[in-house]
Amino acid sequence: MQGTHRAPTLQQASNLQALFKSGKILAGAALSYPSRQVAKTVAATGADWCWLDAEHVAWTPKLLVECIQIIVHESGGKMIPVVRVPNKIAFDYMAWCLDAGAGGIIVPHMETAAEMQQVVAACRFPPDGQRSYPPFSFIPGVTDITPEGETIFSLANKHTAIIPQIESRRGIENLEEILQVGNIAAFMIGATDLRLDLGLPMNPATEPDYMATVHKARAVSAATRIPLLGVAVGPEMVRQQLDAGFRVLLCAIDLQVLAFGMIQALSEAREAAEEHMQRIA
């Protein structure tokens, strides 16, 4: 991550909004294991941002906050934690994660502009929203340092990224209205849930209904200049997503890296052992 996007102190969120708008290709890693040790390992990998998934993983709020801070501090502020909260009305999780220093919030199953307005209000300090001052997050005069003319409130409103995840027919139909709410740094299509909502098989394919939603999302992203966040694991998928206009990519998922990495290592070890036994037979 470029130094110009760093916050004045590590207790404040980095400027993820500006980083998204820069057009830079951002490679992210996922932390799905609710583990401090795994968080420390991920923080050392050099990813631009880290996805912490609290929708499908039963994080305790305490551990989630600790791992957000581990990502920030172990990476020296170079990796930005982004949390997918449990649901679109998990306003308590939004507050805890942002107060801990998360640079962004992914909000699943967003379907209407009214829902989006509630989320924006919860994640923005006044006058842009209703987020409450976090009295236990800063040491006055030490960790709340800001440039002249700025406050921790104005910087947080400029820096924090709000990312709706669209994963239903209704959400796609209301996509333009959702993004017109403002204060949205990027958006995401939840492909599997969208396909299920459309009555399609889980595995990606090219059915007309599904491809129409994909084309609409790309067109709206290009028209609004609000970037699409996508998953791209492996060089071929990365190239496909970049060709499609994506610039914010989730490229490494801890579960997959551990599972498939160990499967490959064990397979190679067994092959080597079998070759050895054949040689000495």
Side-chain angles (χ1 to χ4, degrees):
M1 183 181 67
Q2 298 296 312
T4 55
H5 297 100
R6 295 273 296 277
T9 70
L10 293 182
Q11 288 72 26
Q12 302 175 51
S14 295
N15 195 347
L16 190 56
Q17 283 203 73
L19 199 55
F20 281 170
K21 293 176 182 177
S22 71
K24 297 180 184 296
I25 297 170
L26 304 178
L31 175 62
S32 63
Y33 288 106
S35 162
R36 298 173 186 83
Q37 287 76 16
V38 178
K40 287 184 178 183
T41 300
V42 172
T45 61
D48 297 306
W49 62 286
C50 179
W51 170 315
L52 294 88
D53 188 7
E55 181 188 11
H56 296 293
V57 179
W59 288 85
T60 64
K62 179 177 182 292
L63 183 56
L64 181 57
V65 164
E66 289 176 352
C67 285
I68 290 168
Q69 294 172 338
I70 285 171
I71 293 293
V72 172
H73 289 268
E74 291 285 330
S75 71
K78 295 178 181 178
M79 187 182 298
I80 305 177
V82 178
V83 180
R84 179 161 67 178
V85 294
N87 56 67
K88 57 193 170 187
I89 58 171
F91 303 120
D92 46 2
Y93 273 82
M94 296 176 200
W96 295 329
C97 293
L98 294 179
D99 290 354
I105 298 293
I106 298 172
V107 188
H109 297 284
M110 191 60 60
E111 292 189 311
T112 69
E115 293 171 348
M116 193 74 248
Q117 288 168 348
Q118 287 186 309
V119 170
V120 169
C123 296
R124 291 280 182 268
F125 288 114
D128 299 339
Q130 300 167 349
R131 181 180 168 189
S132 181
Y133 168 65
F136 306 111
S137 297
F138 299 103
I139 302 171
V142 179
T143 61
D144 61 354
I145 298 168
T146 59
E148 186 175 353
E150 297 282 5
T151 67
I152 56 171
F153 312 113
S154 63
L155 276 187
N157 286 350
K158 289 179 180 179
H159 288 191
T160 302
I162 302 174
I163 306 161
Q165 184 170 357
I166 312 299
E167 37 199 338
S168 69
R169 187 188 300 273
R170 188 183 184 204
I172 289 291
E173 290 171 351
N174 294 327
L175 180 58
E176 291 95 338
E177 290 80 6
I178 291 170
L179 298 183
Q180 286 171 2
V181 168
N183 289 302
I184 296 171
F187 71 102
M188 180 181 179
I189 301 298
T192 301
D193 281 339
L194 176 58
R195 289 182 60 80
L196 294 176
D197 189 73
L198 294 172
L200 301 172
M202 185 178 72
N203 294 329
T206 57
E207 301 92 344
D209 260 10
Y210 177 67
M211 293 311 298
T213 66
V214 172
H215 293 319
K216 178 174 181 177
R218 292 174 182 173
V220 171
S221 174
T224 60
R225 296 182 177 272
I226 299 176
L228 264 166
L229 186 157
V231 178
V233 178
E236 182 178 351
M237 196 172 182
V238 168
R239 286 189 286 269
Q240 290 174 349
Q241 296 288 55
L242 293 176
D243 287 342
F246 288 79
R247 290 295 178 268
V248 184
L249 300 175
L250 180 63
C251 302
I253 300 172
D254 53 353
L255 170 64
Q256 291 187 356
V257 171
L258 176 61
F260 292 116
M262 293 184 73
I263 289 169
Q264 181 178 350
L266 290 168
S267 175
E268 292 171 349
R270 288 180 175 131
E271 288 177 7
E274 185 176 343
E275 291 173 2
H276 173 77
M277 296 305 293
Q278 288 174 352
R279 284 199 308 269
I280 64 175

